[in-house]
Amino acid sequence: ERRMERALGGDNTVAETLAGPGGGLGGATVKGVDMKFDELEKIMGKYMTKKVRKAWPEKERGPGVNAKNEMVVAGLQLGNVFVSVQPLLGVEGDPMRLLFERDLTPHPQYCAAYEWMRLPEEKGGAGSQAVIHLGMHGTVEWLPGQPLGNDRQSWSDEMIGSMPNVYVYAANNPSESILAKRRGYGTLVSYNVPPYGRAGLYLELANLKDLVSEYRSGEVSSSSSRSDLREAILGSCERTGITSDIELPNDAADLSDEAFDSWIATVSNYLVELEARLFSSGLHTLGALPTDKELSSYLNAYFNDRLSGEEIENVIAAWHEQQKKSKEKLQTMPDFFSWLQTFAGNFMGGNEDSSINAAETHATEKDLLKDEAMRIVDLLGKNVEEIDSVITLLDGGYVKPAPGGDLLRDGTSVLPTGRNIHALDPYRMPSAGAWARGERAAQEIIRQHLSANGGAYPETIAVTLWGLDTIKTRGESIAIVLALVGARPVKEGTGRTVCYELIPLNELGRPRIDILASLSGIFRDSFANVVDLLDDMFERAAVADESPDMNYIKKHTMELEAGGTERPAARLFSNPPGDYGSMVNEVIGNGDWEESEALGEIWKGRNAYSYGRKEGGGGTRSGTARPEVLDKLLSTTERVVQEIDSVEYGLTDIQEYYANTGALKKAAENRKPVDSSTGKKKKVAVSVIEAFGGTSDDSSKIPVRDVEDVLRMEYRSKFLNPKWRDAMLEQGSGGAYEVSQRMTAMVGWAATVNVDNFVFDQAAERYALDEDVANKLQKSNPEAFKNVVRRLLEASGRGMWDADEDTIEKLKSLYADADDLVEQVASSFV
């Protein structure tokens, strides 16, 4: 009764309001079923149901179960379409189960949801003829089973069965899309990335830029005025945390004018870089034609300074005019004659083509850039084909294939979207361009390490090999591994890579560095040939006729052999066969941890399986647990290398980076001796390479930064930036969710690396203590806002953030209010 009163009053948090006419869901009705376990068994069969019973006994049935122990499957029916949220995986409240239970199955309600959707209506099911998985990435393709191709006992096969799966997937993630095809039987429809924005400078950072500009302009001549300005700059740098990025060479009071001027020049350059940094602005709407503002943002990011803002506006205006003329022509010309003219034009090749070719011959570079911009705008204008392709597939039609990738890095080949995306030929990696960049990156990593460690070479470097960046960069991370070891790819006449040969030490001119290769599950499954070639290279390096002092792979292999360890040259480690992820993000998400050291041990426990030609039958069909070898490599690891492949997914944007790279760092530090100068265990450095926004054959130095510097840069340009925040707030519930996810990731980074106090200070100011922003977040997504406040309180409670008592009391009050609101919303659906 109370719920109906709220609905009649227009409360949009009540289901009845949304489902009513004009309420946003077109008069949808609630549809579902409460399924008993015996009923599930009749649908799914005794063999698979027996596995579920064993993994989820009656007292531990998992989520989605009512008081009668029935599995609740529910959603909204809109005409012939049933809309439902994909069930939880079931381990959120108990993530450690995946660490120890190799026979874990989907929980009963997960099984019931998919089985009921496929069950014909006459038998009491939904009678679905197809399923659309909307947005990457879901969970059905990650369920336990065979990694490379399902068998009848794989849970992905059991859930999807023969039901056509239309999977709407991000165009810039061809790596995980492979799994969606291979294990989820998905036919993909790609969607575009959100428009890009420039970070700009804001609030105190904008004020700091003005102060620096005034100081460097020379307009202030009196010593007292310059001294005051100097103090103002130092104060602003302290408040914004800039001194963490650009450290003062000495105590501020002892700095000479020359030293201060040099330091200010570095600060000025940093502000310029920060101001021009790119980020994803908001979210993408499926099938929506980009606005002129969004088209401009894509072109600005793609061309940088090669086209002015006015030139870009002119290109967009010309495109609109072209579209208008094309539309008028279609309206006045009968379809047959339009086709006939196009058909004839294909054979004429006459004066028109000649004049175009002549014009192109004399075109200036600027004209060519404008032509390219026009092509990009035209391709972006085909975003509407995203929806068309979904309809085509539901009608049993054909959707064109296209490579997945990133407009900024891969160019126009990834457009238009609405395509069935694919990856690349794994037998041609690394490409020539990727090898050139990877080699230079490795040189820079070594140079920085030598500089920071008194000229001493690292004995072991851990390199993360992920499917996504490998595909998008054509194998740069593989090239980094080869270059650090001192090896190079050998290709046959067809261009395929056949082996990685060791470079002679006299040519290399330095020791061979040992590698701990941390493979994602996607890389392990998708690049079996690369895994085998790398394994072969490490085996040969381990027995090379070289001094152990100049070959750290051989040195560590001999030490392991002396202890009786089997296969001591194993260097390629990942999750157990058929499993994915470190589970560290699940532990962080639930707050189910005490000391940060435990996060490193969770990572180690989930990545102790070795892969290669001599493991478990060969290739990636299965791996072998070799915790002793992994432990040795972690103990000698002095640096971790992580490549970032796109603007959209930076360190702070998704959970996987801290859950893997951060946790790997922590696992290595757990095995380090105590540093007598600090009283703490020796730190392991993390080198981050941003492999986007440049061409692979660029001969300039590859930027390699410490993880702490990249984190500060990302937080300033995105999460703490009001421009980014406001773009997300405009997206409603989805934008609030993105904010919430990044707040959780911030706690993950603080647990595994370090997050500066100013980041938490400003995050609290931007998202919780700003009343207007807090109200918007609560209104659009109460759970997301609750999580934002919860993470801030957690950071304070764990000693990650030094906040004053007044701020903590305000946050506690906000959390209590947010908790009440979430309970009210939840009760409206009961």
Side-chain angles (χ1 to χ4, degrees), residues 430-431 434-439 442 465 475-484 487:
S431 68
W435 168 248
R437 278 181 59 92
E439 189 176 30
L465 296 177
E476 280 181 24
S477 54
I478 297 169
I480 290 171
V481 169
L482 298 181
L484 290 173

Side-chain angles (χ1 to χ4, degrees), residues 498-676:
V498 293
C499 76
Y500 302 137
E501 71 173 1
L502 297 174
I503 299 170
L505 285 176
N506 59 356
E507 181 183 340
L508 186 63
R510 61 164 175 82
R512 297 194 195 283
I513 295 169
D514 203 353
I515 299 293
L516 164 55
S518 172
L519 316 182
S520 72
I522 297 286
F523 186 98
R524 171 199 67 200
D525 296 346
S526 302
F527 302 111
N529 65 302
V530 176
V531 171
D532 286 349
L533 290 177
L534 287 173
D535 186 51
D536 171 65
M537 176 194 70
F538 286 121
E539 288 281 356
R540 284 184 284 111
V543 296
D545 186 15
E546 298 168 351
S547 166
D549 294 335
M550 290 295 289
N551 181 341
Y552 298 139
I553 300 170
K554 184 173 184 178
K555 175 184 177 182
H556 298 153
T557 299
M558 291 172 64
E559 291 170 351
L560 284 163
E561 277 182 328
T565 302
E566 292 185 4
R567 198 148 186 274
R571 294 297 184 270
L572 303 156
F573 286 86
S574 186
N575 311 133
D579 276 6
Y580 304 89
S582 70
M583 301 306 298
V584 172
N585 45 327
E586 278 80 2
V587 173
I588 290 288
N590 286 285
D592 189 20
W593 58 283
E594 295 296 332
E595 301 297 329
S596 61
E597 288 77 10
L599 302 175
E601 296 314 295
I602 291 172
W603 181 92
K604 178 181 179 289
R606 285 287 293 173
N607 287 273
Y609 276 73
S610 165
Y611 291 86
R613 297 184 308 160
K614 298 182 179 180
E615 298 291 11
T620 60
R621 286 187 290 277
S622 60
T624 306
R626 301 196 184 280
E628 301 87 359
V629 180
L630 178 59
D631 203 69
K632 173 66 175 179
L633 293 171
L634 286 170
S635 70
T636 58
T637 292
E638 298 174 59
R639 186 169 292 266
V640 180
V641 175
Q642 173 70 63
E643 194 165 47
I644 302 175
D645 57 84
S646 72
V647 172
E648 296 80 46
Y649 308 124
L651 293 181
T652 61
D653 294 313
I654 56 177
Q655 313 293 325
E656 283 73 15
Y657 281 119
Y658 76 77
N660 289 280
T661 306
L664 192 167
K665 174 186 189 300
K666 186 60 66 175
E669 289 174 345
N670 288 349
R671 287 151 182 80
K672 292 289 181 286
V674 174
D675 188 334
S676 58

Side-chain angles (χ1 to χ4, degrees), residues 728-786:
M728 283 299 174
L729 290 177
E730 289 176 5
Q731 304 300 319
S733 177
Y737 172 79
E738 295 294 332
V739 169
S740 172
Q741 287 290 94
R742 284 160 177 79
M743 190 65 80
T744 300
M746 189 187 297
V747 172
W749 278 118
T752 56
V753 180
N754 183 47
V755 173
D756 293 274
N757 211 64
F758 81 86
V759 176
F760 283 108
D761 285 341
Q762 294 183 27
E765 292 170 9
R766 302 282 193 278
Y767 295 99
L769 303 179
D770 184 312
E771 188 174 349
D772 183 49
V773 172
N775 288 336
K776 288 180 179 178
L777 287 171
Q778 279 189 306
K779 185 177 180 180
S780 60
N781 193 327
E783 280 281 7
F785 179 72
K786 178 183 174 183

Side-chain angles (χ1 to χ4, degrees), residues 430-448:
S431 68
W435 168 248
R437 278 181 59 92
E439 189 176 30
R440 293 200 305 277
Q443 291 169 356
E444 180 61 14
I445 291 165
I446 293 172
R447 186 197 67 78
Q448 290 184 12

